[in-house]
Amino acid sequence: MGLSLSAALPSSAWGCNFPECTFPAPGTEIFFFDNVFSIGPFGFNKAMIQLFIGAIVVIGFFWFAFRKPKIVPRGAQNVGEVGYGFIRDGIARDVIGKGGERFVPLLFTFFFFIWVLNFMGIFPTLVFPVTSVFAIPVAFALIVYLTWVPLGIAKQGGWGFFKNIMFPPGLPKPLYIILAPIELISNILVRPFTHCVRLFANMFAGHLLIVTFTVAAWYLFSPTIIGLLGSAVSFVVVLALTAFELLIQALQAYIFTLLTAVYISGALHAEH
Amino acid sequence: MTLLAELSGSIGSVGYGLAAIGPGVGIGIIFGQGVQAIARQPEAYGVIRQNMLLGFALAEALALIGFVVPFVYGV
């Protein structure tokens, strides 16, 4: 019925809210912004400003929460302690184990900074996840990479580090001919790549979906029954996607932090 | 070179569809087995959930690379 109805209607039934009455499918151009202002050679666009806002929000909140720590926490300190306990007990102690406390500040910063940056994707007035700019997850993944590789070399020795990666013990000898290069490539080259692409692509895809359905809601809008219906359905999808993104954002921040802990743990204690 | 078949249009979308098959099956298995493990041993929920999410992240990376590549190389 839907098909025959839309075929019977002239194309103008969908309204004409965009030039030439076509659907302007959003592409990668929605992730690029013009500079708002620039200081010397550094241009500041929307993503850059949001990055600074995110840093200020995270630093500001936790500074406020722990400015006068009390033995019985109240208000903001409670929230801060729950967050800290979640990272320390749930990630650092569980995954890294012995010696994990040293890395709590790194993991804590990663989790909350990435979460705030992701959350901007559905925050009204900003509506742009900073982590969907590829350079930012790359920088994060690079920090992690430059943490666990030197750490592994320091703990296991230069040769020991590569030996533990390339020759997992307890396998038949001929298998190592295939396994050693695969393990080396997957751990040294592919690992940092997937680490950042995972975060980036999730945020990128989520933002693109939300923008597509938002544009569609306006594209379908017209003062006809079918136009209003199509527009309303599209708008409901936007709301559902926003709720879904809320989940994905927290999950991706958690997974990034969890993988950081797993990599550090692998560098600290070689597999037996 | 003789052309046997030619495809035009949004091939990147087809590529993403193909790239999503494997991870789709994988993520299904991971969560299916994870839920089963939790049902069998609810007290190990924390550890199971953590490993479940870890496996999910590793499987999902393949689908996401498939999603990003068409944008990088043009549709």
Side-chain angles (χ1 to χ4, degrees):
Chain A
M1 185 220 169
L3 259 180
S4 61
L5 192 65
S6 59
L9 287 162
S11 61
S12 60
W14 294 119
C16 215
N17 302 320
F18 287 107
E20 296 171 26
C21 298
T22 54
F23 179 64
T28 45
E29 74 278 356
I30 60 172
F31 294 92
F32 296 99
F33 297 98
D34 293 330
N35 283 348
V36 178
F37 62 92
S38 51
I39 300 170
F42 300 104
F44 285 78
N45 61 11
K46 190 185 171 193
M48 189 77 172
I49 293 168
Q50 278 182 224
L51 188 68
F52 277 92
I53 293 173
I56 290 166
V57 165
V58 173
I59 295 169
F61 177 75
F62 286 105
W63 196 46
F64 174 75
F66 294 114
R67 73 201 182 285
K68 271 183 249 153
K70 295 188 182 68
I71 292 172
V72 181
R74 291 184 66 238
Q77 197 192 339
N78 241 334
V79 179
E81 283 192 4
V82 167
Y84 187 81
F86 172 66
I87 300 298
R88 191 192 59 187
D89 301 336
I91 296 181
R93 279 186 186 163
D94 276 10
V95 177
I96 304 179
K98 203 161 167 282
E101 262 87 2
R102 261 181 70 204
F103 298 98
V104 173
L106 182 77
L107 301 171
F108 184 80
T109 313
F110 267 134
F111 180 75
F112 283 99
F113 193 39
I114 292 173
W115 193 11
V116 166
L117 294 187
N118 287 351
F119 183 70
M120 288 173 179
I122 59 166
F123 189 78
T125 66
L126 294 174
V127 208
F128 179 74
V130 186
T131 38
S132 66
V133 176
F134 194 36
I136 288 160
V138 165
F140 291 159
L142 210 62
I143 294 170
V144 175
Y145 188 68
L146 294 179
T147 307
W148 73 265
V149 170
L151 196 72
I153 290 171
K155 286 275 171 186
Q156 304 168 21
W159 167 240
F161 175 68
F162 287 102
K163 202 192 80 181
N164 285 330
I165 284 177
M166 286 163 72
F167 304 103
L171 291 169
K173 286 273 183 298
L175 212 60
Y176 286 118
I177 301 168
I178 319 168
L179 199 65
I182 292 177
E183 283 288 306
L184 184 70
I185 290 169
S186 85
N187 280 306
I188 300 296
L189 295 177
V190 180
R191 207 184 241 189
F193 176 70
T194 53
H195 197 198
C196 58
V197 162
R198 184 173 299 114
L199 176 62
F200 157 72
N202 265 295
M203 290 302 114
F204 182 86
H207 186 57
L208 202 59
L209 270 175
I210 287 182
V211 172
T212 305
F213 278 97
T214 313
V215 172
W218 179 234
Y219 168 73
L220 296 173
F221 184 78
S222 68
T224 58
I225 291 169
I226 190 162
L228 286 175
L229 212 65
S231 181
V233 168
S234 196
F235 189 70
V236 168
V237 172
V238 174
L239 296 181
L241 279 174
T242 303
F244 181 64
E245 276 300 292
L246 190 63
L247 174 77
I248 293 290
Q249 287 161 356
L251 187 68
Q252 286 308 319
Y254 177 70
I255 284 173
F256 191 94
T257 318
L258 187 67
L259 284 171
T260 305
V262 168
Y263 297 160
I264 289 173
S265 161
L268 280 180
H269 329 284
E271 285 172 52
H272 305 293
Chain B
M1 200 175 78
T2 50
L3 280 176
L4 284 175
E6 203 178 353
L7 203 62
S8 64
S10 182
I11 303 166
S13 318
V14 179
Y16 172 64
L18 293 174
I21 295 171
V25 173
I27 291 167
I29 291 173
I30 289 161
F31 278 100
Q33 304 276 0
V35 169
Q36 206 171 53
I38 293 167
R40 280 169 189 240
Q41 212 157 4
E43 63 271 27
Y45 175 66
V47 180
I48 294 169
R49 187 197 54 183
Q50 199 175 52
N51 285 304
M52 206 162 81
L53 289 178
L54 198 64
F56 160 74
L58 295 177
E60 186 206 32
L62 301 171
L64 289 171
I65 291 168
F67 178 80
V68 176
V69 162
F71 284 100
V72 176
Y73 291 106
V75 181

